[in-house]
Amino acid sequence: MRLRSRTVGSLALFSHGTGPATAEDAAITQAFADMATIALLQERAARESVLINEQLQRALNGRILIEQAKGMIAHTSNVDMGAAFALLRDYARSHNQTVYETADRMINNREFSV
């Protein structure tokens, strides 16, 4: 089962009888293989789309959290947003955390102080 140069699967045929397949059998078999190829590709595309959407949503949520933390730092430390991010990043690095983890701890009041 192929789409252009990409192999997406294989199809095995078995028969109760003996002898070569007829032209009609070959055409029907090819139609089944084509339908199976389309179904496999559509399922993969749908699965990949869901995965990409989940990754993008996590990234967006993480970015929102980081922006909230930057705002809190900027307000409490009386610095601009660039300096606030630098403080957040430096804290994360010095505590072996991601910026997201540090922002999450800060926003949710879990063991954080700059």
Short mmCIF file of all heavy atoms in Angstrom, two decimals, residues 33-61:
data_model
loop_
_atom_site.label_atom_id
_atom_site.label_comp_id
_atom_site.label_asym_id
_atom_site.label_seq_id
_atom_site.Cartn_x
_atom_site.Cartn_y
_atom_site.Cartn_z
N ALA A 33 -7.12 -2.12 -1.44
CA ALA A 33 -5.84 -1.59 -0.97
C ALA A 33 -5.85 -0.06 -0.99
O ALA A 33 -5.36 0.59 -0.06
CB ALA A 33 -4.70 -2.13 -1.84
N ASP A 34 -6.42 0.52 -2.05
CA ASP A 34 -6.51 1.98 -2.13
C ASP A 34 -7.37 2.55 -1.01
O ASP A 34 -7.01 3.56 -0.39
CB ASP A 34 -7.07 2.42 -3.49
CG ASP A 34 -6.12 2.11 -4.65
OD1 ASP A 34 -4.92 1.85 -4.39
OD2 ASP A 34 -6.59 2.11 -5.80
N MET A 35 -8.49 1.91 -0.72
CA MET A 35 -9.37 2.37 0.37
C MET A 35 -8.66 2.25 1.72
O MET A 35 -8.74 3.16 2.56
CB MET A 35 -10.69 1.58 0.38
CG MET A 35 -11.61 1.94 -0.76
SD MET A 35 -13.26 1.20 -0.64
CE MET A 35 -12.90 -0.53 -0.53
N ALA A 36 -7.97 1.15 1.93
CA ALA A 36 -7.24 0.97 3.18
C ALA A 36 -6.13 2.01 3.33
O ALA A 36 -5.90 2.55 4.42
CB ALA A 36 -6.66 -0.44 3.26
N THR A 37 -5.44 2.33 2.24
CA THR A 37 -4.39 3.35 2.27
C THR A 37 -4.97 4.70 2.65
O THR A 37 -4.43 5.40 3.51
CB THR A 37 -3.69 3.44 0.89
OG1 THR A 37 -3.13 2.17 0.57
CG2 THR A 37 -2.62 4.51 0.88
N ILE A 38 -6.08 5.07 2.04
CA ILE A 38 -6.73 6.34 2.37
C ILE A 38 -7.16 6.37 3.83
O ILE A 38 -6.94 7.37 4.53
CB ILE A 38 -7.94 6.57 1.44
CG1 ILE A 38 -7.45 6.82 0.01
CG2 ILE A 38 -8.81 7.72 1.94
CD1 ILE A 38 -8.55 6.75 -1.03
N ALA A 39 -7.73 5.28 4.31
CA ALA A 39 -8.17 5.23 5.71
C ALA A 39 -6.99 5.37 6.67
O ALA A 39 -7.07 6.11 7.65
CB ALA A 39 -8.91 3.92 5.98
N LEU A 40 -5.89 4.69 6.38
CA LEU A 40 -4.71 4.80 7.23
C LEU A 40 -4.15 6.22 7.24
O LEU A 40 -3.81 6.76 8.29
CB LEU A 40 -3.62 3.83 6.76
CG LEU A 40 -3.81 2.36 7.10
CD1 LEU A 40 -2.76 1.52 6.39
CD2 LEU A 40 -3.74 2.15 8.59
N LEU A 41 -4.06 6.82 6.07
CA LEU A 41 -3.52 8.18 6.00
C LEU A 41 -4.42 9.19 6.70
O LEU A 41 -3.94 10.11 7.37
CB LEU A 41 -3.29 8.57 4.54
CG LEU A 41 -2.17 7.80 3.84
CD1 LEU A 41 -2.16 8.12 2.35
CD2 LEU A 41 -0.83 8.10 4.48
N GLN A 42 -5.74 9.03 6.57
CA GLN A 42 -6.66 9.95 7.25
C GLN A 42 -6.57 9.78 8.77
O GLN A 42 -6.59 10.76 9.50
CB GLN A 42 -8.09 9.72 6.78
CG GLN A 42 -8.34 10.26 5.39
CD GLN A 42 -9.76 10.04 4.93
OE1 GLN A 42 -10.45 9.12 5.35
NE2 GLN A 42 -10.21 10.89 4.00
N GLU A 43 -6.45 8.56 9.24
CA GLU A 43 -6.33 8.33 10.68
C GLU A 43 -5.04 8.93 11.21
O GLU A 43 -5.03 9.58 12.25
CB GLU A 43 -6.39 6.83 10.98
CG GLU A 43 -6.48 6.47 12.45
CD GLU A 43 -5.15 6.48 13.16
OE1 GLU A 43 -4.11 6.24 12.51
OE2 GLU A 43 -5.14 6.75 14.39
N ARG A 44 -3.96 8.75 10.50
CA ARG A 44 -2.68 9.32 10.92
C ARG A 44 -2.73 10.84 10.95
O ARG A 44 -2.23 11.48 11.86
CB ARG A 44 -1.55 8.86 10.01
CG ARG A 44 -1.13 7.43 10.22
CD ARG A 44 -0.02 7.04 9.27
NE ARG A 44 0.27 5.61 9.39
CZ ARG A 44 1.09 4.96 8.59
NH1 ARG A 44 1.71 5.61 7.61
NH2 ARG A 44 1.30 3.68 8.75
N ALA A 45 -3.35 11.42 9.93
CA ALA A 45 -3.45 12.89 9.86
C ALA A 45 -4.29 13.41 11.02
O ALA A 45 -3.94 14.42 11.63
CB ALA A 45 -4.06 13.31 8.53
N ALA A 46 -5.38 12.72 11.33
CA ALA A 46 -6.22 13.15 12.45
C ALA A 46 -5.47 13.04 13.77
O ALA A 46 -5.53 13.94 14.61
CB ALA A 46 -7.50 12.30 12.49
N ARG A 47 -4.74 11.95 13.96
CA ARG A 47 -3.96 11.75 15.19
C ARG A 47 -2.87 12.82 15.32
O ARG A 47 -2.68 13.40 16.39
CB ARG A 47 -3.36 10.36 15.20
CG ARG A 47 -2.70 9.98 16.51
CD ARG A 47 -2.28 8.51 16.60
NE ARG A 47 -2.45 7.71 15.42
CZ ARG A 47 -1.47 7.16 14.71
NH1 ARG A 47 -0.21 7.35 15.05
NH2 ARG A 47 -1.72 6.42 13.66
N GLU A 48 -2.18 13.09 14.23
CA GLU A 48 -1.12 14.11 14.25
C GLU A 48 -1.70 15.50 14.51
O GLU A 48 -1.11 16.31 15.22
CB GLU A 48 -0.35 14.09 12.93
CG GLU A 48 0.54 12.87 12.78
CD GLU A 48 1.13 12.72 11.38
OE1 GLU A 48 0.84 13.57 10.50
OE2 GLU A 48 1.86 11.74 11.18
N SER A 49 -2.87 15.77 13.96
CA SER A 49 -3.53 17.06 14.17
C SER A 49 -3.88 17.25 15.64
O SER A 49 -3.66 18.34 16.20
CB SER A 49 -4.79 17.15 13.32
OG SER A 49 -5.48 18.34 13.58
N VAL A 50 -4.40 16.22 16.28
CA VAL A 50 -4.72 16.30 17.71
C VAL A 50 -3.45 16.53 18.52
O VAL A 50 -3.43 17.38 19.42
CB VAL A 50 -5.45 15.01 18.17
CG1 VAL A 50 -5.52 14.92 19.68
CG2 VAL A 50 -6.84 14.94 17.57
N LEU A 51 -2.39 15.83 18.20
CA LEU A 51 -1.13 16.00 18.91
C LEU A 51 -0.58 17.42 18.77
O LEU A 51 -0.17 18.04 19.75
CB LEU A 51 -0.10 14.98 18.40
CG LEU A 51 1.29 15.03 19.04
CD1 LEU A 51 1.20 14.73 20.53
CD2 LEU A 51 2.21 14.05 18.36
N ILE A 52 -0.61 17.94 17.56
CA ILE A 52 -0.13 19.31 17.33
C ILE A 52 -0.98 20.32 18.08
O ILE A 52 -0.46 21.25 18.69
CB ILE A 52 -0.08 19.61 15.81
CG1 ILE A 52 1.04 18.82 15.16
CG2 ILE A 52 0.09 21.11 15.56
CD1 ILE A 52 1.03 18.85 13.65
N ASN A 53 -2.30 20.13 18.06
CA ASN A 53 -3.18 21.04 18.79
C ASN A 53 -2.90 21.00 20.29
O ASN A 53 -2.89 22.05 20.95
CB ASN A 53 -4.64 20.72 18.52
CG ASN A 53 -5.09 21.17 17.15
OD1 ASN A 53 -4.50 22.07 16.56
ND2 ASN A 53 -6.14 20.56 16.65
N GLU A 54 -2.66 19.82 20.84
CA GLU A 54 -2.34 19.71 22.26
C GLU A 54 -1.02 20.41 22.58
O GLU A 54 -0.91 21.11 23.58
CB GLU A 54 -2.26 18.24 22.68
CG GLU A 54 -3.60 17.54 22.73
CD GLU A 54 -3.49 16.03 22.94
OE1 GLU A 54 -2.35 15.50 22.96
OE2 GLU A 54 -4.54 15.39 23.09
N GLN A 55 -0.02 20.23 21.73
CA GLN A 55 1.28 20.87 21.94
C GLN A 55 1.15 22.39 21.87
O GLN A 55 1.73 23.11 22.69
CB GLN A 55 2.29 20.38 20.91
CG GLN A 55 2.71 18.95 21.12
CD GLN A 55 3.56 18.41 19.97
OE1 GLN A 55 3.55 18.96 18.86
NE2 GLN A 55 4.31 17.35 20.24
N LEU A 56 0.39 22.88 20.91
CA LEU A 56 0.21 24.32 20.78
C LEU A 56 -0.55 24.89 21.98
O LEU A 56 -0.21 25.97 22.47
CB LEU A 56 -0.54 24.65 19.49
CG LEU A 56 0.26 24.47 18.20
CD1 LEU A 56 -0.64 24.65 16.98
CD2 LEU A 56 1.41 25.44 18.15
N GLN A 57 -1.55 24.17 22.46
CA GLN A 57 -2.30 24.64 23.63
C GLN A 57 -1.41 24.68 24.87
O GLN A 57 -1.47 25.63 25.65
CB GLN A 57 -3.52 23.74 23.88
CG GLN A 57 -4.45 24.29 24.94
CD GLN A 57 -5.04 25.64 24.56
OE1 GLN A 57 -5.56 25.81 23.47
NE2 GLN A 57 -4.91 26.61 25.45
N ARG A 58 -0.57 23.65 25.06
CA ARG A 58 0.37 23.67 26.19
C ARG A 58 1.33 24.85 26.09
O ARG A 58 1.62 25.52 27.08
CB ARG A 58 1.14 22.36 26.27
CG ARG A 58 0.39 21.24 26.96
CD ARG A 58 1.29 20.07 27.30
NE ARG A 58 2.01 19.52 26.18
CZ ARG A 58 1.56 18.57 25.36
NH1 ARG A 58 0.37 18.06 25.56
NH2 ARG A 58 2.29 18.12 24.37
N ALA A 59 1.82 25.11 24.88
CA ALA A 59 2.74 26.23 24.68
C ALA A 59 2.04 27.56 24.98
O ALA A 59 2.62 28.44 25.64
CB ALA A 59 3.28 26.22 23.26
N LEU A 60 0.81 27.70 24.53
CA LEU A 60 0.06 28.92 24.79
C LEU A 60 -0.19 29.10 26.28
O LEU A 60 0.01 30.19 26.83
CB LEU A 60 -1.27 28.91 24.02
CG LEU A 60 -2.17 30.11 24.23
CD1 LEU A 60 -1.49 31.40 23.79
CD2 LEU A 60 -3.48 29.92 23.47
N ASN A 61 -0.61 28.03 26.93
CA ASN A 61 -0.85 28.10 28.38
C ASN A 61 0.42 28.45 29.13
O ASN A 61 0.41 29.24 30.07
CB ASN A 61 -1.44 26.79 28.90
CG ASN A 61 -2.84 26.54 28.40
OD1 ASN A 61 -3.52 27.45 27.93
ND2 ASN A 61 -3.27 25.30 28.48
#
